[in-house]
Amino acid sequence: MNETLLPRLIDLILRLRADTAGYQDTPDDPQRWYDRGYADGMLAALRELGHGAALPPALAEDADTGVLPAADRSTPWGRAYAHGMEMGGKETHEVLEVT
């Protein structure tokens, strides 16, 4: 893997998470939910691929990644989050498999 790629992916996760802080309070903004899901999907993929040790403590300790309350799962914002998570994970796997 490209040595500079992992820090860049982690930086992207951190930026997306900062930009989507409080996303659960804005169900009328599915883009924020998608972006948060994307970041969480990236995070899950990095863990799956064995890069958990490289994560900053705040991300390494986050156990809520991908956890969506049952009441939100079938809503437009919940579906946006789920789609973001799917795409973030898929694209992280793709990027890391290519390098």
Side-chain angles (χ1 to χ4, degrees):
M1 172 179 41
N2 181 330
E3 304 246 342
T4 63
L5 187 56
L6 186 57
R8 291 174 62 196
L9 292 173
I10 292 171
D11 183 56
L12 177 57
I13 293 168
L14 291 169
R15 284 187 289 134
L16 284 170
R17 288 199 133 200
D19 290 348
T20 59
Y23 73 102
Q24 293 172 320
D25 298 327
T26 57
D28 58 334
D29 188 357
Q31 185 63 53
R32 286 185 76 195
W33 284 72
Y34 176 88
D35 291 348
R36 182 55 168 242
Y38 194 95
D40 288 352
M42 290 178 67
L43 183 55
L46 290 178
R47 288 177 176 155
E48 289 170 14
L49 293 167
H51 300 293
L55 299 173
L59 292 178
E61 296 169 6
D62 187 353
D64 291 334
T65 302
V67 177
L68 199 60
D72 288 327
R73 291 184 190 146
S74 64
T75 63
W77 55 89
R79 289 190 307 271
Y81 176 89
H83 183 59
M85 186 150 180
E86 175 187 347
M87 295 307 296
K90 176 182 176 279
E91 292 177 356
T92 299
H93 276 276
E94 289 173 355
V95 165
L96 293 177
E97 289 171 4
V98 170
T99 59

